[in-house]
Amino acid sequence: MTGVRISSTEIAIPARAGLVWSVLTDLDSYPAWNPYIRKAEGRLREGARWRLERTLNGRAYRARQVTVTCWEPGRRLTWRGGIPVPPLLIGEHEVRITETADGVRLVQAETVAGLLAPGLFPWLRTRMQARFTAMNEALREEVARRLAESA
């Protein structure tokens, strides 16, 4: 998709990629730890359709259907959704996990395109940055919690 990256956040997580991936893809556990995507349903594979319920300031505000466009266990997950016909607003969400000497570096980013995108960039950028940061921090905390449970 040709578009503009509106948000990109990253966080260091002191854990192995496999554990971070398992928490990220444990969709059933999202209501317990994820402040941005409060509910997620779908099959865990590329091409799957997911239903995501996202929040704004802790309140449910929109459920959307997305399609998983990349599924590389322990490394990369992407999905795409929006209003495709006519191409009003299409978003592609990416989560990348990269091994480091101290654990992993997780990058979460959103790229948008479509007729409505230019007018919404400033509004979306601020909100997405805050949501991704909150989700990244909650993911790190959930990974730490699961590590402590297994110790």
Side-chain angles (χ1 to χ4, degrees), residues 1-139:
M1 172 179 74
T2 303
V4 174
R5 176 159 286 176
I6 61 164
S7 184
S8 181
T9 61
E10 69 177 72
I11 193 167
I13 302 176
R16 300 186 69 134
L19 177 58
V20 174
W21 179 261
S22 71
V23 174
L24 180 67
T25 59
D26 180 3
L27 303 183
D28 291 339
S29 75
Y30 274 30
W33 68 265
N34 194 327
Y36 172 44
I37 303 172
R38 298 300 300 166
K39 188 173 183 182
E41 300 169 332
R43 296 184 64 196
L44 302 178
R45 64 175 179 79
E46 190 169 320
R49 299 275 294 161
W50 285 4
R51 182 182 177 278
L52 304 178
E53 183 179 291
R54 295 175 288 182
T55 63
L56 177 61
N57 300 329
R59 298 184 314 264
Y61 80 99
R62 184 156 310 221
R64 284 278 188 219
Q65 293 285 329
V66 299
T67 301
V68 177
T69 54
C70 179
W71 183 269
E72 296 176 20
R75 296 181 55 218
R76 187 167 177 247
L77 168 64
T78 64
W79 64 74
R80 181 180 293 164
I83 308 167
V85 180
L88 293 179
L89 188 65
I90 308 296
E92 183 161 289
H93 189 90
E94 177 182 31
V95 180
R96 273 183 285 123
I97 299 170
T98 306
E99 296 271 359
T100 67
D102 301 318
V104 300
R105 181 175 139 254
L106 181 128
V107 175
Q108 193 169 183
E110 185 84 13
T111 303
V112 296
L115 299 172
L116 297 177
L120 292 175
F121 286 154
W123 183 83
L124 286 171
R125 181 174 286 122
T126 303
R127 282 153 184 80
M128 298 309 287
Q129 199 76 17
R131 290 178 195 158
F132 293 173
T133 297
M135 182 175 162
N136 290 352
E137 291 169 358
L139 176 63

